[in-house]
Amino acid sequence: MQQKATNKYFILSILLLILTIITLTKCSTIINKPKDNNIITHLADDKKKILFTVISPSLESVSYGSFTRNIAIAQEAKRLGHEIAFLCGQHWKESLIKHLKRAFPHDYKTITIYTLKTRPKVFSFIPNEWFMEPKDVKVPSFILDKKTKRFGSLYMAWMLMGFGNESIVKKIVLEQLEIYLKFKPNVLFLEIDLPTYISASLIDIPIMETISSPMLEGKDSFFSFWLNSMTKSIVSDFSVKDKSFSALQYLDGMRYQGKSLKIVPSIEALETEEIIYMPNVTFVGHLFPNTSNSDFDDTNIEKTKSDYKYQNQKVIFAYFGKGSVPTEIVEQVMSNFCLEINKRNNDNISYHCYIAENSIKNSYTLLNYTHFENYIDGNEIMKISTLVFTH
């Protein structure tokens, strides 16, 4: 009798053990379910909440390349049914609303805009204690990047814009984390926003980011060493206070990870192999949002065409950004390009290339067909342009 009871309890114990193992296995599968490294697939599964961040640069009077690329992606995301919101510096909110009005004329008021109170100060890369160096960094006697042999990189731009100031960046990261708790984004979209790399890495939010070859330059420069050291210091501070934060330490480890979706607003022929063979790279060509029809009605187009300098011309418009390409190279390449296409032109209407270059003071013309001006209304001239070049 005692033997039967023992066998009965033994069998029950085995059954309970099997049930426990099955339950734990299921829980483990849910908790440790591998993340989908391809965000395109991740987004296609169901509707997501996407937060678009526009923090860099910290100046007010800048070009709006980040706005246009963010909004172009946001339009497509919204069309597919995803919920979108924006995060920017307080000083950019008015400009962002203006752009959103044109891109979403009927429902721009429904798009949430979060703003940051903290704003980096230009040239404020000196830490709180005067000339105190970041941890683990030795300042060299010169700051020219030996390998690239060019003075300037994304790292340098971040420093000059104030993102080398540890206390300021930490404040921005804290503000971002609070905003993430409110909106609860599934994905972040960013373009060279240093604080967003840190905040996204800390709580492991997937990111989509724009990328191009110039963004990779300067990895061995003094500015890179400074910013990587600063990033490590910030992440370490968070990790010491809360062990749940990510242990990823360095800025270069956060940028362009294999699992992030990298969007290249260009074509393969214009990019380096380093970009082409990165995991999860998507080449999309020029990114520019569709604007409301009121901006492009026939009356406005005819008015622009009737401008005396555009009459009887095939217009080509070019803008290469503020310092993205040296002026002398633009002069040489574009003037010869326009001259060559006119040689091959078989009708009586000539091609004329109009180039906006903010560094020049007085307008001038090269090789008859290429015209340089300090300012050209891009929205107006693009309505009548046969071809458009942008950086």
Side-chain angles (χ1 to χ4, degrees), residues 341-352:
I341 61 172
N342 275 298
K343 287 180 180 178
R344 303 184 185 194
N345 188 19
N346 295 322
D347 56 41
N348 295 323
I349 303 177
S350 301
Y351 288 94
H352 283 258

Side-chain angles (χ1 to χ4, degrees), residues 125 143 145 148 150-165 192 194 197 213-231 250-256 274 278:
F125 55 88
I143 54 178
D145 187 336
T148 60
R150 59 178 289 176
F151 185 82
S153 65
L154 175 57
Y155 298 93
M156 177 181 177
W158 271 328
M159 291 283 285
L160 296 180
M161 290 296 174
F163 290 105
N165 188 311
I192 63 171
L194 185 149
Y197 282 119
S213 297
M215 293 181 184
L216 302 181
E217 294 183 358
K219 287 183 179 178
D220 297 308
S221 66
F222 158 68
F223 301 112
S224 169
F225 296 143
W226 182 298
L227 292 172
N228 275 283
S229 176
M230 180 200 71
T231 304
Y250 292 99
L251 174 62
D252 285 343
M254 299 172 184
R255 298 178 66 203
Y256 316 127
E274 187 176 3
M278 277 187 170

